[in-house]
Amino acid sequence: MKNYSEVYEQELINNVIPFWMKHSKDELGGGYFNCLDRFGNVFDTDKFMWLQAREVWTFATLYHEQEARSEWLEMARHGADFLAKHGRDAEGNWYFSLDQYGKPLVQPYNIFSDCFASMAFAALYKADPQEKYAKIAKDTFYNILKRQNNPKGKYNKAYPGTRELKNFALPMILSNLALEMEHLLDKKTVDDLLKSVIHEVMDIFYQQDSGLILENVNLDGSFSDSFDGRLVNPGHTIEAMWFMMDLGLRLNDQKLIIKATEIALRTLDYGWDKEFGGIFYFMDIKKHPVQQLEWDQKLWWVHLEALVCMAKAYAFTGKNECREWFDKLHDYAWNHFRDAEHGEWFAYLNRRGEVLLPLKGGKWKCCFHVPRALFQVAKTLQQVAEPAS
Amino acid sequence: MKNYSEVYEQELINNVIPFWMKHSKDELGGGYFNCLDRFGNVFDTDKFMWLQAREVWTFATLYHEQEARSEWLEMARHGADFLAKHGRDAEGNWYFSLDQYGKPLVQPYNIFSDCFASMAFAALYKADPQEKYAKIAKDTFYNILKRQNNPKGKYNKAYPGTRELKNFALPMILSNLALEMEHLLDKKTVDDLLKSVIHEVMDIFYQQDSGLILENVNLDGSFSDSFDGRLVNPGHTIEAMWFMMDLGLRLNDQKLIIKATEIALRTLDYGWDKEFGGIFYFMDIKKHPVQQLEWDQKLWWVHLEALVCMAKAYAFTGKNECREWFDKLHDYAWNHFRDAEHGEWFAYLNRRGEVLLPLKGGKWKCCFHVPRALFQVAKTLQQVAEPAS
């Protein structure tokens, strides 16, 4: 599938990365502009730590794994300097957002800011092995492990004891972060963490009866018949499944890869909108109305992560069904999300696949899912032969 | 406009109220079921304090102002007993939600739970003047005044000092609550509060240049060029404008009524979807992309509050434009929200006016906006003559 590989690589190098190189650098305030309209104009100057960190990760990773272009490393360092200088409170927790010049706006209530910060500095250390980068990555990582059982801390609004749920997102992200951090951690820490997150994802959150993964379960893993407990986020599941496939490769565990492929295929079938195409954002496992008003929208990251997942599933298992899904997802994503006129990809489509918000970067979209997916697909499919026709 | 008045009253008495009488009473756990599907089946048993209180208000108010049906008073008391028994923490703050049997689920981070609780008990005291109801209404009300400058308390995630915004919702709700509580408060408290909320709504949040009301402004009333600062919520504005008209009537201030009518008309024109009809949920005053993915959806309460607003504006000013808007809103709302087959009204439509979530009650919809609006329109239009044709 060299052809696909080349198409994805060209899109990454010639369309997507130039958009961010051109529009997102904030020379005045430091760091990156996250909020860019269709044309790349800055429409808001707030700095969201998730997104700043993710852009650092992207440029550092491309420099280290794609091509050692000095402007990419410089771009990564530019964001990292801003993060290192302004991103943390006195206890080392990462704020959620800062203003253009680095003054804190929103407190560190969200542990994923910390996850993406440690991922960013771990990647930057690979590209530029300065001890200060390793230290931030490690300090942040151990702080995450310390906070992981009560990630929201004092901002947690759940009353203790009535309905204690655990959420899928943290083990899911940790399953990716463990590999991203491996070069900075001792073997036992990595081995223990991998074992624990694989168990959480594949045994606790995965439901044998439905073949689906729930976003929230009771602490003992049982089903909670509540809005949170009934929630399925197909995009989350499918993204987590390619993290599992990477872990299967790393641990030489083909069974894990096969199981992850099965769950991803089941979830694609479940989450696919049979009327208008695309993957729903949120669903209720009992088919009740969900709380999320945006449930039927089609989001860029969901479809890009699904492309990565099916590329890997096909490369690692050779299953024809994965190839068919890849083709179907490719057609949907390239026809609906890609902006052929003004570069980069749209983020939010309505159920019918029409653009809902004409932005290229916003509070949640930045230089991350699109380039990471293009890079992952290109790399994965490089060595994969076309199926015999 | 007696014809409209009768149509709205019939809808209230024969369609909407019977739906809640039949489906929402929880004989086992106490209080009301809030989450009802299209047919009235309970799909979730959580009890949200906003909604429990609003249903108490509705039944108490109908008993007192529409007709003294004993089953309505009994229904109001049934909810009030549950609220009084389980709704508050040790400091008298109202939880956000409880489970079916009254165990706290979500902490009292949301001051509107308190607003609707005091409104509920104040209305119930009118219907059934027991001192215990007055005490809960007053204790809660004074607690709101104490908390109003930092309503989220320790759950406030804004970092102090960088961007201090104030939000429109609280003065807006207080402008209605002040009248709802008037029989329980001394004259000076009411007079001072009315003066202050009218100033906040009509001078601080209202923007002379655009003729619109912003959801959030800097503490000094100036514009904040940020996601929150740029946000316009047309439904909020329009609802607040009928609160202002009620205050204009109460204070014998025709200028206030005329100004509120102007702002409401301007907002309707601004918020109306010229392509598909209906009023948008969220807009950005600088036409930038908003954060709210549900921005283009059509919500029941927005349209029902707009009907109340235009009914009052027409009744109080006689302006023909208000009558035209009433007709237009009536057609849209009755054709899109009303469920002719299974009773009550739908809540959430997509931009095209198609049902997005087929529920009659959920986390935010209950026995409140539909019956209150039907009651208000019916009462308002009873004495209004048809315009000369």
Side-chain angles (χ1 to χ4, degrees), chain A residues 46 104-105 107 159 162-163, chain B residues 46 104-105 157 159 162-163:
Chain A
D46 285 357
L105 278 170
Q107 300 277 14
Y159 188 89
T162 308
R163 183 186 294 151
Chain B
D46 284 357
L105 277 171
K157 292 182 289 198
Y159 188 90
T162 309
R163 182 187 294 152

Side-chain angles (χ1 to χ4, degrees), chain A residues 214-251:
Chain A
L214 293 170
E215 279 294 291
N216 301 283
V217 294
N218 291 318
L219 291 189
D220 65 1
S222 63
F223 175 64
S224 163
D225 193 358
S226 59
F227 280 107
D228 289 337
R230 293 188 298 269
L231 192 64
V232 179
N233 180 331
H236 254 182
T237 300
I238 295 165
E239 183 179 0
M241 290 307 104
W242 76 254
F243 295 167
M244 291 296 121
M245 292 172 200
D246 276 2
L247 291 179
L249 213 61
R250 157 74 178 68
L251 301 169

